[in-house]
Amino acid sequence: MTGLPAYRVWALPGIPEVRTGDDIAKLIASAATADGLPGLADGDVLMVTSKILSKAEGRVVQADDREAAIDAEAVRVVARRGPLRIVENRLGLVMAAAGVDASNTPAGTVLLLPEDPDASARRIRTGLRDTLGVNVGVVVTDTFGRPWRSGLTDVAIGAAGVRVLDDLRGGTDAHGNPLSATVVATADELAAAGDLVKGKAAGLPVAVVRGLSHVVVPDVGAGADDGVGGADEGARALVRDAADDMFRLGTSEAVREAVTLRRTVREFTDDPVDGGAVRRAVAAAVTAPAPHHTTPWRFVLLESAESRVRLLDAMRDAWIADLRGDGFTEENIARRVRRGDVLRKAPYLVVPCLVMDGSHTYPDARRNASEREMFVVAAGAGVQNFLVALAGERLGSAWVSSTMFCRDVVREVLGLPADWDPMGAVAVGRAAVAPPARVARDAAAFVEVR
């Protein structure tokens, strides 16, 4: 069996109860050099439970109300079921209760995660280098649940001296097939291996892995622990960027989060828009409520540049004629036309239309007007669904009312039936710049209770 890939992992006994101000590196060094233990060597990787770092760093806080502590640590609620909350915390980690832990700490207190787990890992690595003269990797671990999988496992929330990700993209497998999406979360695999010997209640907060020195970053002094050059980037590299996260939304909060993501975009990139994504958004749009079990929505997709230019040119000519008829100067007209150019800047346009199929006709004008209002409200609900669904597809949009002012022109250019009423136009694309911060609105200001 000699020569086969292998590694050893063992829990490190002898770590005492940690108190605020303790030097974790010295505690580990003392335990590792006790009689009968193999000590530490270059290329070893240490898995350190975050709880002992939290205690050493004074992250034990009085909190009779754990929920208030979770509120303070959370930046976004991802999902909620009963008292359980899955939240994103200030470190970008999505986990139960923001990592706030009421176990292994005195009654009336809770443990918060380390302020900066990567920095904590760097301090331990540097301390062990200075104390024992060894080059080791350090992984700070915490316990996570996982979507679609039962059970808990340890993952890396901090790291130093470890290649946390092993990017295999660009290589090939044993059959010569290209690897186009394979990035291995090495630090998480190490964390899980360490947890198998540490356990959850055995009082063994540190584990050592030996035999995987290829994952340890060469130690060239203090600079190696600074994350400079990307070789030692820390566990933050494991946190997926929001723009690339296909599963960012939770359960009951999904719609609310998607609504929050929906912003009016006025500057678009030239990136092409996936027509399939737009069609999925249409599928969401037509689930909106409507009167009399009708389907009063139609969505005209302008996927070719030629169709968009032809429509917008005709609309511009009609708009200029209207403005001249209203007595505006040529300078004012030119300025207004420029302001309305958001539709021209988008790589994709959608014209939502209202149809009155299934509407009721009444003997008096008042009831007929109310009937149309019901259908207009349903059309607005469908467009709102559409905009929110586009945001869920990571597409920006701007709903512009201009087609409503020249419906005959739009119907003629697009060859639409006479009973299709264009309800504005939606510019679709990827935002060229991040939208400004949303103006805060107090919901109570919009509520009247009777």
Side-chain angles (χ1 to χ4, degrees), residues 295-306:
T295 55
W297 322 275
R298 302 293 185 270
F299 291 84
V300 184
L301 311 185
L302 277 63
E303 297 190 328
S304 71
E306 187 273 333

Side-chain angles (χ1 to χ4, degrees), residues 18-22 24-25 28 48-60 111-121 123-124 138-141 157-158 205:
V18 174
R19 304 185 186 283
T20 300
D22 282 348
I24 297 297
I28 292 174
V48 181
T49 302
S50 65
K51 285 185 178 63
I52 65 171
L53 294 172
S54 297
K55 292 178 178 180
E57 296 172 10
R59 298 283 285 166
V60 184
L111 287 173
L112 311 182
L113 291 179
E115 191 78 33
D116 184 345
D118 284 335
S120 301
R123 285 192 293 271
I124 294 173
V138 178
V139 176
V140 178
T141 69
I157 66 168

